[in-house]
Amino acid sequence: MPRVDRIAEPWGTRTPYGPGEPWPVRVDEFLEDGVRAEDVDRWVQSASILHSNGDGLDIAVKGGRIVGVRGRAGDRVNHGRLGPKDLYGWQAGNAPDRLVRPLVRDGGRLVEADWDTAMDRIVRRTRELLDEQGPSALGFYTTGQLFLEEYYTLALLAHGGLGTNHVDGNTRLCTATAAAALKESFGSDGQPGSYTDVDHADVIALYGHNMAETQTVLWTRILDRLAGPNPPAVICVDPRRTPVAEAATVHLANRPGTNVALMNGILHEILAHGWIDGRYIEDHVVGFDELRERVEQYPPDRVARICDIPEERLREAARLIGTARRLLSTVLQGFYQAHQATAASVQVNNVHLVRGMLGRPGCGVLQMNGQPTAQNTRECGADGDLPGFRNWSNDAHVADLARIWNVDPLDIPHYAPPTHAMQMLRYVEEGSIRFLHVIGTNPAVSLPELHRVRSILSQDRLFLVVQDIFLSETAQLADVVLPAATWGEKTGTFTNVDRTVHLSERAVDPPGEARPDLDIFLDYARRLGLTDKDGAPLVKWNDAEGAFEAWKECSRGRPCDYTGLSYARLRGSGGIQWPCDDEHPGGGERLYAGGRFWSAPDQCESYGRDLVTGAPVSPTEYRALNPSGKAIIKAAAYVEPHEPPGEAYPFWLTTGRTLYHFHTRTKTAKAPQLQRAAPESWVEMSEADARRCGFAEGDLLAVETVRGEVRARLRVSGIRDGVLFLPFHYGYWDQPGGHEPEKGRGGAANELTLTDWDPASKQPIFKTAAARVSLVERGRGEPSKAPTTTASRPVTAPRDVPGTRGGTDAEAEESVITTGGAS
Amino acid sequence: MKFDLVLRELHRSENELAHVLLRLSERHKADHETYHVARDLVGWCHDHIRELARAGKDYGLDLDPSPASDTTLMRAVREKAAEWLGRAPELSLLLLADFRHLYLVASGVSLDWELLAQAAQGARRKDLLALAQRCHPETLRQMRWANARLKDSSTQALVS
C-alpha cells in the first residue's frame, strides 16, 4: 500500500471522476508506530470529530488503548478518506496531561477532589442561587463537540428542569449564522443540500469558505472532480489566496465587511440578465419584488468600488453562477463571522431561490458548520433554540415540548429567544448570571476581546464550572473542574453538515476518574432531584441509547425526524441522513424538493428577524407575509462596517484557522505531527504591504488594535493588500502565562478582536477590525513557521522557506479501490 | 394646506429620534449590540432628515439637511434619562428605561409620518406620499427594535 506524508499532502492522492459518476473509494489509515493492521485487537465504529465533515472511520484498539484510525470505505460521506486531523488527532486522548480527577478551588488554588465533593459543591451552589434569585442566575455554555444524547439531556435539565433560558453553545461562534440564514430563508433550520451535490454540480461557489482547510475530505471530493472529465467551475470569495482560490475559475478577494454589497452585485447581474426561474419564484417564493428593488441599487460598477474588486471579474462570477445548470453553493466563516453575517448568507440562499435550484442533484446549498456536532447542538436545543427545531415564539410548539417532557409549559422559558452566548457573558459581567457551567469549550481563548472575557470569568461573584478533558485556559479560572471522557471513550451519535447521522461507539475506557459528559449531566440532575410535573424523575434515561430513544420521540414530526433510526440501524451503516421516518426510511438525501418548505406559520422554527435590527418578526406579521409556507426572500442593503481602518489603524485585521489545528489547539497541539506543522502563531500580510512597510518574511511584528497587542512572525502571503491575518488557535495553556499573556504580551488573536455581533444570528464578528502593525525585531533570514501547504503559503522562493513536511512518523497508508466508476 | 407644519414637525421629531439613538448608544457602550445597532439606525434618521429638507423647499421651508447637534430642546430628554438613572442605578434597568423612551419617541415619529401620508393622499401629492412610503417603514423598524429589545432584556433585569 502506498504511504503518503499527509502533513505534506493534506488531501492525499487524486482519484479523478466525472459528473454523475460515483466518487471512487480510497481508504486512508494511520496506526501508531510499530503497530500493523493485523496486530489490532478491535476496530470500533465512529466518525471524525475535529471538523464538521463527519467522515466515517473505525478506531483501532490494541491492549485497551487507541492506536490509530482507518476510514470506512462504505461511508456515504468520505468513501474511506480521512483528513490530517483525523489521522493524527486521536493521539490527544492518550496525552499524559488529561484531566483524570475533579478539581475544586480551595484557598484560591485548584486541588484534586473526589466526585462527591465536586458535585456537592456544584449542586449546593445551584440550590442556593435558585432559592435566592431563581433560574435567571444559572447559565450553561456548551460546545459543538459533545454527542446528541448529551445535548438533549442538557437541554432537558436546563430548560425543562432548572427553568433557565440561558443555554447556548460555542456553536454561536461557528454556526449560528448558518442556522439563522436557513431559518430566514426556509422558515426552519435544516441543510437543503447533500455532499453528493459535488458529484453533479457544474458550478461550485464557495463563499468565505476555505474548504480545503476546514473540511479537507469534502475538498478532496472537489479536487477529484477538478482532476476528472468535465470539471466544475469554482468560484471563491475570500480575501486570502487559499487553496480554494488557487483552484478557482474566478477568485473575488473583496474588501472585508463588504459581503452584502458583493452578493447584491451578483444578484443584480442574475436579475438583469433574466437568469431566473420565474415559474419557481411565482409558485414557491415570497419577497421577490423587494429583492428586485434592492439590488437595482447595486450595479457592478458601484459594487466593484465598494468591494475593491475588478468589475469584469464580478461580472464573470455572476455569469457563471447565473448560467450554471447545477449550482452548488457553500458558505462558512468568511461570511458567518463577518459584518452583516446573516444578511450576506441569506443572499446566497436567494441566488438558489431565484434560480429555482434546490432539492435536485447538484443543486444545493451547504450553509456549513465548523464543529463536528454543531448540528446536534442546534437540533437538541442546547444552543439558543428549542429541541426539535421548535419555535419559542409559538405557544403550540412549547406546549408540545412540555407534553413530551411532562412539565408545565410555563416551566420552559419562552418569554424571549434563549439567551445567546454574548448576552450571557454580558449578564455575567453585570452580575445577574452567577453560575456558569462551561462544557467542552474554551471561551478564555475563543471569544473576542480577551482581556474583557478574562475579567468577566475571573470575577469572585461568579461560580464557574468547567467540564473538559484538559486544563484549558478557561478551566484554570474555574471554581470546579470536572474531568470528562472524550470521543472513543463514550458512546453516542452525531450529525454532520449534510444531515448524516453516525454512531460513535466506546472503544476504550476514559482515563482515571474521567466520566462521559452524559453521565455527569445525569448525575447532576439526580443530585438536584429534578422531577416532572407528576413527581417522577425528569430525566427518564440512564444511558446513551435511552437518551437517543427519547430524542427520537422529541424529533417525531419535526424536520429533523430521527424516528426511523436506531443504534442497531446505525451500527455497521455508512451513515444515514435525517429526515429518517416512515416517509424516508433510508433517510432523505435533499430537502425542499418540489419547492416544499417547513415554513408554514404553524410549522416553522422561526418567524425570522429584521436583518439590520435583529428584532424578531411577530407571529401576526409572519402570517401576513407568508401564509402558505413558501420560501422567503429577504433583501438587504449594504451597511458600512463598524470599525473601518483609518489613519491610526490603517489595516483590516481578519482572523481564521489553519488546516492543522482545531479550535484552541487543546487537542491538535497534542498530536506531534499536527503541532509541528503549525507550531506557533504568525501574521500574514501581502507582498506589496510588506514592501511598503519595509518588513520581510520572518520579522517579528507587533499587531495592535485599540484593544491590545499581539506579537507574531510575519508570513508574506497571497492575502489581499490592506488586510492582516492572524490564526485564532493559539492561546496560553502551553505558555508561561498559563491562562493569560505573560507581561502583557499577548499571542492570542482574540486579544485584538472587537466585541460586536450580527444582530440576527448573534454571531460575533472576527473578520473586521482596524489594526496597525510595527516591527519588533528583524527575522534575520529565519522564516515564520506558518504552514507552506495552505493559505499561508509564502510568496517567497521555496528555497527561502522550507516546505511543511510531516516526516516518516506522518506517513499514512492509502489504498485506492478501483471500481468501474472512475474514468 | 398645512404641509409646512407637518414637514417641520417631522424634521424636528426625526432629529430628536436621532439624538435619542445616539444618547442610547453612548450610555450603553458596554452593551455592545445596543451600541452598534443604535448607531446603525441613526443613519436612517439622517437619511430622512435630508429627504425632508429637500421636500421642505417646495413649501418655503428652509430645513437643515444635516442633523441637529445638541440643542436646548434635547436637554429635557437628557434630564429625563438622568432622573431614571438616579432612581435605578443598575445599568440593566437604565437600559429598559432608555428603550422605553426610545420606543415612545419613535412612535411619535411614526405618527408624524402617518399624518404626512394622510395629508399627501388627501391633496394627491404623489411625491410626499412616496416619501412617507419610503421612510415610514424604517421608523417602524426602529420602533420594533426598541420593543423587541425591551422584551428580551426585561425579564433578566426585573427578576434578578
Side-chain angles (χ1 to χ4, degrees):
Chain A
M1 264 186 281
R3 296 177 70 83
V4 178
D5 176 349
R6 292 293 302 282
I7 295 292
E9 295 177 57
W11 307 284
T13 305
R14 293 286 57 73
T15 54
Y17 72 122
E21 292 172 357
W23 187 27
V25 170
R26 184 192 88 195
V27 174
D28 297 346
E29 178 184 300
F30 179 77
L31 296 173
E32 200 169 78
D33 195 28
V35 178
R36 295 168 308 165
E38 52 269 35
D39 302 333
V40 170
D41 298 339
R42 283 178 300 134
W43 294 91
V44 180
Q45 183 177 358
S46 181
S48 56
I49 49 145
L50 292 169
H51 51 78
S52 65
N53 213 49
D55 303 322
L57 58 78
D58 287 319
I59 301 171
V61 181
K62 183 174 168 17
R65 286 176 74 246
I66 297 180
V67 293
V69 289
R70 181 171 69 197
R72 287 175 66 85
D75 196 279
R76 70 173 297 278
V77 170
N78 54 324
H79 297 210
R81 289 165 190 75
L82 294 175
K85 287 200 286 274
D86 311 324
L87 291 167
Y88 314 112
W90 55 267
Q91 298 168 93
N94 296 341
D97 56 345
R98 281 284 300 274
L99 288 169
V100 292
R101 293 204 71 197
L103 305 173
V104 296
R105 191 166 292 279
D106 270 334
R109 296 185 45 218
L110 283 171
V111 295
E112 289 197 348
D114 59 24
W115 273 95
D116 273 338
T117 307
M119 291 305 289
D120 275 351
R121 286 200 188 189
I122 296 169
V123 168
R124 194 169 356 120
R125 189 63 188 145
T126 307
R127 285 220 182 91
E128 278 168 12
L129 287 169
L130 281 173
D131 290 346
E132 202 181 310
Q133 180 181 326
S136 68
L138 311 172
F140 293 85
Y141 183 49
T142 183
T143 176
Q145 300 161 52
L146 301 186
F147 290 154
L148 175 151
E149 294 77 359
E150 294 163 337
Y151 295 129
Y152 184 55
T153 305
L154 174 65
L156 169 58
L157 81 85
H159 284 302
L162 294 167
T164 177
N165 207 25
H166 310 320
V167 184
D168 201 5
N170 67 2
T171 47
R172 187 62 57 189
L173 318 179
C174 80
T175 185
T177 303
L182 294 169
K183 289 180 208 171
E184 292 298 331
S185 299
F186 310 120
S188 183
D189 196 346
Q191 195 68 261
S194 163
Y195 288 167
T196 57
D197 288 331
V198 171
D199 307 347
H200 302 282
D202 64 345
V203 176
I204 303 177
L206 297 99
Y207 296 99
H209 182 194
N210 184 3
M211 186 196 282
E213 300 195 48
T214 53
Q215 286 87 14
T216 54
V217 171
L218 190 58
W219 180 244
T220 302
R221 199 168 189 148
I222 293 183
L223 286 177
D224 286 347
R225 276 292 318 274
L226 291 173
N230 301 313
V234 171
I235 291 153
C236 170
V237 177
D238 201 307
R240 297 170 77 206
R241 198 188 296 152
T242 61
V244 177
E246 301 212 353
T249 319
V250 181
H251 175 204
L252 301 170
N254 58 317
R255 180 186 281 145
T258 62
N259 292 332
V260 165
L262 182 84
M263 293 310 302
N264 282 350
I266 289 171
L267 281 160
H268 177 280
E269 288 302 281
I270 290 174
L271 267 55
H273 289 89
W275 293 320
I276 59 172
D277 183 340
R279 181 71 194 274
Y280 188 93
I281 294 170
E282 183 74 23
D283 291 347
H284 304 299
V285 169
V286 296
F288 178 67
D289 291 339
E290 193 199 337
L291 182 76
R292 185 184 286 282
E293 277 174 38
R294 180 62 70 194
V295 302
E296 264 173 24
Q297 300 158 16
Y298 294 86
D301 58 330
R302 178 179 178 220
V303 170
R305 272 198 311 278
I306 296 173
C307 299
D308 189 28
I309 50 172
E311 186 181 330
E312 270 322 298
R313 214 175 285 175
L314 173 69
R315 287 181 191 273
E316 174 61 5
R319 189 187 63 78
L320 286 167
I321 293 167
T323 58
R325 296 161 59 89
R326 294 163 186 262
L327 172 67
L328 171 65
S329 300
T330 75
V331 194
L332 197 61
Q333 308 307 4
F335 273 40
Y336 297 166
Q337 294 184 337
H339 177 62
Q340 293 196 278
T342 308
S345 305
V346 158
Q347 302 316 312
V348 178
N349 297 340
N350 288 347
V351 168
H352 285 259
L353 288 170
V354 300
R355 301 221 58 224
M357 288 201 174
L358 282 173
R360 288 184 280 131
C363 299
V365 177
L366 295 170
Q367 297 277 358
M368 299 298 291
N369 306 336
Q371 297 177 80
T373 74
Q375 190 62 43
N376 306 107
T377 326
R378 277 147 61 180
E379 292 162 11
C380 297
D383 77 328
D385 290 306
L386 290 184
F389 296 159
R390 283 177 177 79
N391 188 339
W392 65 270
S393 186
N394 183 333
D395 285 342
H397 283 199
V398 177
D400 186 50
L401 186 61
R403 173 189 62 78
I404 293 163
W405 285 353
N406 197 33
V407 299
D408 190 285
L410 210 54
D411 290 339
I412 303 171
H414 58 286
Y415 50 82
T419 314
H420 63 90
M422 299 304 288
Q423 186 64 49
M424 276 169 48
L425 201 72
R426 175 78 185 132
Y427 288 154
V428 174
E429 187 173 34
E430 287 178 347
S432 66
I433 288 181
R434 297 150 73 191
F435 172 104
L436 185 66
H437 189 155
V438 176
I439 304 141
T441 189
N442 194 7
V445 180
S446 57
L447 289 181
E449 207 175 346
L450 288 182
H451 75 92
R452 170 174 179 258
V453 175
R454 283 189 294 268
S455 77
I456 291 171
L457 294 180
S458 53
Q459 292 174 98
D460 282 341
R461 62 182 176 179
L462 173 68
F463 189 84
L464 181 66
V465 180
V466 174
Q467 183 170 320
D468 212 313
I469 69 169
F470 293 111
L471 193 66
S472 67
E473 288 84 344
T474 308
Q476 294 174 47
L477 299 169
D479 295 286
V480 177
V481 179
L482 300 176
T486 186
W487 170 90
E489 300 164 357
K490 58 181 187 176
T491 292
T493 54
F494 59 99
T495 308
N496 75 349
V497 173
D498 85 339
R499 296 171 279 105
T500 304
V501 185
H502 284 107
L503 176 67
S504 178
E505 303 239 44
R506 178 172 177 146
V508 298
D509 291 333
E513 295 176 27
R515 290 183 182 174
D517 297 273
L518 178 67
D519 293 1
I520 299 173
F521 296 146
L522 292 171
D523 187 30
Y524 181 53
R526 206 162 32 232
R527 285 172 191 261
L528 280 167
L530 298 177
T531 55
D532 65 14
K533 68 181 181 192
D534 296 323
L538 178 74
V539 185
K540 301 189 190 333
W541 50 88
N542 300 303
D543 60 11
E545 191 162 4
F548 187 79
E549 289 299 314
W551 160 250
K552 280 164 61 178
E553 279 316 302
C554 186
S555 75
R556 185 181 293 278
R558 296 300 301 157
C560 50
D561 196 321
Y562 280 66
T563 49
L565 293 172
S566 65
Y567 275 24
R569 271 201 75 187
L570 290 168
R571 207 162 272 142
S573 82
I576 303 172
Q577 288 172 289
W578 65 249
C580 185
D581 52 14
D582 293 343
E583 205 185 320
H584 313 86
E589 181 145 39
R590 294 178 183 83
L591 302 183
Y592 312 141
R596 290 186 305 277
F597 300 98
W598 275 91
S599 57
D602 295 332
Q603 289 184 319
C604 68
E605 180 184 10
S606 167
Y607 299 127
R609 288 175 182 270
D610 187 308
L611 298 183
V612 173
T613 70
V617 175
S618 78
T620 322
E621 285 172 282
Y622 186 83
R623 260 175 212 285
L625 167 82
N626 191 20
S628 57
K630 296 183 176 183
I632 306 120
I633 283 188
K634 284 203 170 172
Y638 164 66
V639 176
E640 298 262 343
H642 294 147
E643 193 179 275
E647 250 176 59
Y649 296 92
F651 286 94
W652 289 103
L653 172 67
T654 179
T655 71
R657 345 188 115 62
T658 180
L659 188 148
Y660 300 102
H661 283 302
F662 180 66
H663 206 240
T664 59
R665 279 167 63 251
T666 48
K667 277 187 171 175
T668 46
K670 306 227 158 83
Q673 297 87 343
L674 298 172
Q675 173 62 9
R676 285 197 310 261
E680 61 179 37
S681 191
W682 68 92
V683 55
E684 281 173 43
M685 90 194 292
S686 76
E687 199 170 12
D689 285 338
R691 198 181 315 118
R692 200 166 42 77
C693 297
F695 302 154
E697 168 74 34
D699 285 353
L700 183 65
L701 303 183
V703 184
E704 289 169 87
T705 67
V706 288
R707 292 160 291 275
E709 174 190 318
V710 307
R711 291 177 174 200
R713 295 211 175 265
L714 173 64
R715 164 56 45 88
V716 181
S717 77
I719 196 167
R720 66 162 278 149
D721 293 343
V723 182
L724 306 172
F725 170 90
L726 281 170
F728 91 110
H729 306 289
Y730 300 87
Y732 307 105
W733 60 262
D734 53 352
Q735 302 290 320
H739 70 280
E740 62 186 354
E742 200 191 23
K743 296 174 192 147
R745 275 182 203 157
N750 279 319
E751 303 291 346
L752 306 181
T753 45
L754 80 163
T755 306
D756 186 10
W757 54 85
D758 181 68
S761 69
K762 316 298 182 188
Q763 182 157 351
I765 294 168
F766 294 98
K767 304 288 192 190
T768 45
R772 68 182 172 209
V773 61
S774 56
L775 181 73
V776 177
E777 165 190 296
R778 289 284 174 203
R780 294 184 214 91
E782 182 76 14
S784 106
K785 296 191 172 93
T788 63
T789 42
T790 57
S792 54
R793 196 169 66 86
V795 293
T796 26
R799 65 174 187 284
D800 297 330
V801 182
T804 299
R805 295 276 175 274
T808 49
D809 76 348
E811 283 182 356
E813 296 198 352
E814 266 188 359
S815 47
V816 175
I817 294 164
T818 330
T819 61
S823 45
Chain B
M1 295 291 172
K2 301 181 183 63
F3 281 116
D4 57 333
L5 251 179
V6 182
L7 288 170
R8 197 194 302 277
E9 166 56 16
L10 253 176
H11 185 265
R12 185 205 63 77
S13 65
E14 284 281 4
N15 265 299
E16 183 187 0
L17 180 56
H19 180 79
V20 169
L21 281 164
L22 275 176
R23 296 289 302 174
L24 175 78
S25 79
E26 284 161 13
R27 223 135 55 133
H28 300 283
K29 193 151 194 283
D31 197 75
H32 297 83
E33 186 170 329
T34 305
Y35 175 75
H36 289 294
V37 175
R39 296 176 80 84
D40 286 343
L41 298 190
V42 169
W44 293 351
C45 294
H46 289 178
D47 286 346
H48 299 175
I49 290 163
R50 224 172 5 253
E51 301 256 358
L52 285 163
R54 196 175 302 141
K57 286 202 178 106
D58 295 345
Y59 300 90
L61 292 173
D62 183 21
L63 300 173
D64 189 345
S66 48
S69 49
D70 257 9
T71 64
T72 46
L73 175 77
M74 300 307 155
R75 195 168 301 150
V77 180
R78 256 197 323 256
E79 284 168 1
K80 189 75 192 158
E83 281 170 31
W84 277 96
L85 179 64
R87 280 201 297 268
E90 287 172 70
L91 267 177
S92 59
L93 289 177
L94 178 67
L95 188 72
L96 295 188
D98 283 350
F99 273 118
R100 184 176 180 280
H101 180 63
L102 172 67
Y103 182 83
L104 294 175
V105 173
S107 307
V109 180
S110 167
L111 291 175
D112 287 343
W113 283 114
E114 295 270 16
L115 295 180
L116 182 69
Q118 291 301 96
Q121 287 193 61
R124 297 187 186 83
R125 286 303 306 252
K126 273 193 189 160
D127 56 336
L128 291 181
L129 187 60
L131 179 66
Q133 280 170 341
R134 193 164 62 248
C135 298
H136 191 201
E138 290 178 338
T139 311
L140 290 171
R141 290 169 75 187
Q142 290 166 322
M143 264 173 78
R144 286 193 203 109
W145 178 60
N147 191 346
R149 289 301 315 277
L150 262 182
K151 206 174 159 187
D152 69 32
S153 314
S154 52
T155 310
Q156 186 75 4
L158 297 173
V159 304
S160 302

